[in-house]
Amino acid sequence: MQARGESLGEEDERTVVDLLIEQVEFCDVIVLNKMDLVSEEDRDRLMAILSRLNPRARIETAEFGRVPLDRVLDTGLFDFAEASKAPGWLRELRGEHTPETEEYGIHSFVYRSRRPFHPERFFALVQQEWPGVVRSKGHFWLASHPEMAGSWSQAGAVARHGAAGYWWAAVPPDQWPEDPEYLAAIRDSWTDEVGDARQELVLIGIGMDEAALRGKLDACLLSDAEMARGPLVWKSWNNPFTGWDQR
């Protein structure tokens, strides 16, 4: 993307797929061109996928790029606050579904757990294909770095992950944000045992085997015996993920 002048700078590691998905999730109007070249079934399935990724976007269809200008210019639809809340994955986290897309085999689920992943087992999983998964996003928790949160973003065959910072449980309360809404969000995700540390991944796809995917993620969690060994032992484990040097 940098070579094409489409990056935000030298540290921008997004791919064209990342950019495309982010544009779909953030926009208020989507134009589908060349719709005369696809079947009605394929058109409906595509529109269902887009509706799942961005439920608030208005979808316009076109042939030879012809679409009424008043449908795409000066629409008055854009609202930054609403757009930032619109991505389908974020709505899934909040429990807001788009059930009308399920007739096309498109569905989603949220994977949550209060146990950390074994770093090597989770790394092995992310090297594999996740059948049927079109989009997934969220945060994960590695046992080798129990104080740190990991970020996860996948679109199609492209996935990005990395250290995202510290869980609030590892930050002294006097350094927490003062904004009441932010504090409420922290408390909503808090437990006495592990604070806000957690696995929280949204998966959106077509024909996904939810049970199988959950089983693969569950297999990455620490077992009872591994949990009993505690953070001092966990920190000694090898972490194949790069960019996690802080402990």
Side-chain angles (χ1 to χ4, degrees):
M1 282 176 56
Q2 292 181 14
R4 298 173 58 174
E6 297 175 348
S7 74
L8 296 176
E10 293 183 0
E11 297 182 359
D12 186 359
E13 298 180 349
R14 294 177 303 167
T15 67
V16 172
V17 174
D18 293 320
L19 182 61
L20 176 61
I21 289 294
E22 290 173 3
Q23 288 177 333
V24 167
E25 292 177 333
F26 197 71
C27 71
D28 49 87
V29 178
I30 299 172
V31 178
L32 299 180
N33 193 32
K34 298 187 177 181
M35 296 306 290
D36 55 315
L37 302 181
V38 300
S39 67
E40 183 176 350
E41 180 181 358
D42 287 341
R43 181 200 64 188
D44 291 345
R45 183 180 295 108
L46 174 58
M47 294 180 73
I49 293 171
L50 293 173
S51 294
R52 197 73 171 204
L53 293 174
N54 184 347
R56 68 178 287 273
R58 188 176 73 198
I59 301 176
E60 298 286 345
T61 59
E63 298 176 11
F64 297 99
R66 292 193 295 261
V67 60
L69 291 180
D70 61 355
R71 302 295 292 175
V72 294
L73 298 178
D74 296 325
T75 62
L77 295 174
F78 184 73
D79 182 304
F80 184 86
E82 288 301 315
S84 65
K85 300 174 184 178
W89 65 267
L90 187 55
R91 292 194 175 208
E92 292 298 326
L93 277 182
R94 296 196 297 255
E96 303 171 14
H97 300 284
T98 312
E100 61 269 21
T101 64
E102 293 180 359
E103 65 178 290
Y104 302 103
I106 301 166
H107 76 284
S108 57
F109 68 91
V110 181
Y111 179 83
R112 292 186 173 96
S113 178
R114 289 293 180 163
R115 288 196 179 200
F117 285 140
H118 189 289
E120 292 184 334
R121 292 202 294 271
F122 186 56
F123 184 80
L125 178 61
V126 304
Q127 305 308 305
Q128 303 171 20
E129 180 183 357
W130 294 11
V133 179
V134 174
R135 175 69 160 143
S136 60
K137 194 170 176 69
H139 293 90
F140 61 92
W141 180 24
L142 294 181
S144 57
H145 291 69
E147 297 179 342
M148 299 187 71
S151 65
W152 172 263
S153 180
Q154 169 262 332
V158 179
R160 290 187 295 123
H161 47 74
Y166 290 95
W167 298 111
W168 287 113
V171 178
D174 61 358
Q175 296 180 27
W176 285 16
E178 298 181 358
D179 179 73
E181 187 175 346
Y182 208 135
L183 286 173
I186 295 174
R187 295 190 179 101
D188 285 345
S189 60
W190 196 269
T191 68
D192 292 337
E193 293 78 14
V194 298
D196 60 327
R198 63 197 185 277
Q199 318 295 354
E200 193 168 62
L201 300 169
V202 179
L203 284 76
I204 302 173
I206 304 174
M208 293 186 301
D209 186 336
E210 180 178 341
L213 288 166
R214 285 187 179 278
K216 290 180 179 181
L217 289 165
D218 284 344
C220 297
L221 297 173
L222 298 195
S223 65
D224 289 345
E226 290 169 331
M227 287 292 294
R229 300 181 72 180
L232 289 179
V233 173
W234 303 346
K235 290 182 178 182
S236 69
W237 293 345
N238 176 54
N239 178 13
F241 291 90
T242 58
W244 289 68
D245 295 335
Q246 299 183 39
R247 295 275 177 164

